[in-house]
Amino acid sequence: MLLSLQTVKHLLKAVTLENLISHRSLLHEGKLVLTENTKQIDVYLFLFDEFLLITKIKRNKKNLELDQLLKEGCTFTVLDQPISLDRLRLRNIDQLNASTSGLPHSFIITHQNRYQQCIGAFVLQADGHIEVN
């Protein structure tokens, strides 16, 4: 019996996700806006005890607001590899530069490799004032 490539991918995704989140504690979760070039994307972050997971919400119903989608249940697509907390750096964007660039209440998350080189950067925006230490 041969398995199709799509079946194998589905099986591997389920196993990988189960390995990723099992035996981990979810510390915090919440919605933010990710700025990429000139696009703004609604994202949902999951902070576990060992890593941060940045996801995009898959909208099955086009006209629903994010809060409504979360209440009714939705699907999340992982945008990038999980970021281990020991390789994550937070950078606050001062409010003068943030306001000038049209990104109030923004901050940057950088992902560093083991040589302390930046291998990923995410400009995120909150609904209101945030304080990053």
Side-chain angles (χ1 to χ4, degrees):
M1 178 175 147
L2 290 174
L3 294 174
S4 71
L5 181 57
Q6 194 166 20
T7 303
V8 171
K9 283 183 181 179
H10 177 72
L11 291 172
L12 288 175
K13 271 186 189 176
V15 169
T16 303
L17 180 62
E18 180 63 30
N19 289 341
L20 183 65
I21 62 174
S22 65
H23 309 297
R24 296 211 169 37
S25 298
L26 179 63
L27 303 176
H28 193 72
E29 61 182 286
K31 62 181 179 168
L32 295 170
V33 175
L34 173 68
T35 301
E36 281 189 341
N37 301 323
T38 58
K39 293 189 322 183
Q40 291 192 328
I41 303 166
D42 288 330
V43 292
Y44 204 81
L45 278 65
F46 296 92
L47 178 61
F48 289 91
D49 53 354
E50 295 178 18
F51 61 88
L52 176 71
L53 194 60
I54 302 174
T55 66
K56 181 178 173 183
I57 299 163
K58 185 175 178 184
R59 297 175 183 265
N60 296 332
K61 299 177 183 176
K62 298 288 183 200
N63 296 330
L64 289 180
E65 289 295 319
L66 183 58
D67 291 333
Q68 190 64 31
L69 281 170
L70 294 172
K71 287 177 188 171
E72 291 185 8
C74 56
T75 306
F76 298 97
T77 303
V78 176
L79 283 182
D80 199 28
Q81 64 180 314
I83 303 172
S84 177
L85 295 184
D86 64 340
R87 301 208 174 158
L88 179 146
R89 300 292 177 264
L90 289 175
R91 305 270 187 247
N92 202 10
I93 300 176
D94 67 86
Q95 288 307 304
L96 178 62
N97 285 324
S99 296
T100 304
S101 62
L103 297 170
H105 313 299
S106 295
F107 62 98
I108 300 171
I109 291 178
T110 59
H111 184 186
Q112 298 181 330
N113 66 12
R114 65 183 182 171
Y115 304 109
Q116 304 302 310
Q117 295 174 315
C118 179
I119 57 174
F122 305 91
V123 177
L124 296 160
Q125 186 176 16
D127 287 336
H129 179 71
I130 54 171
E131 191 64 38
V132 178
N133 294 327

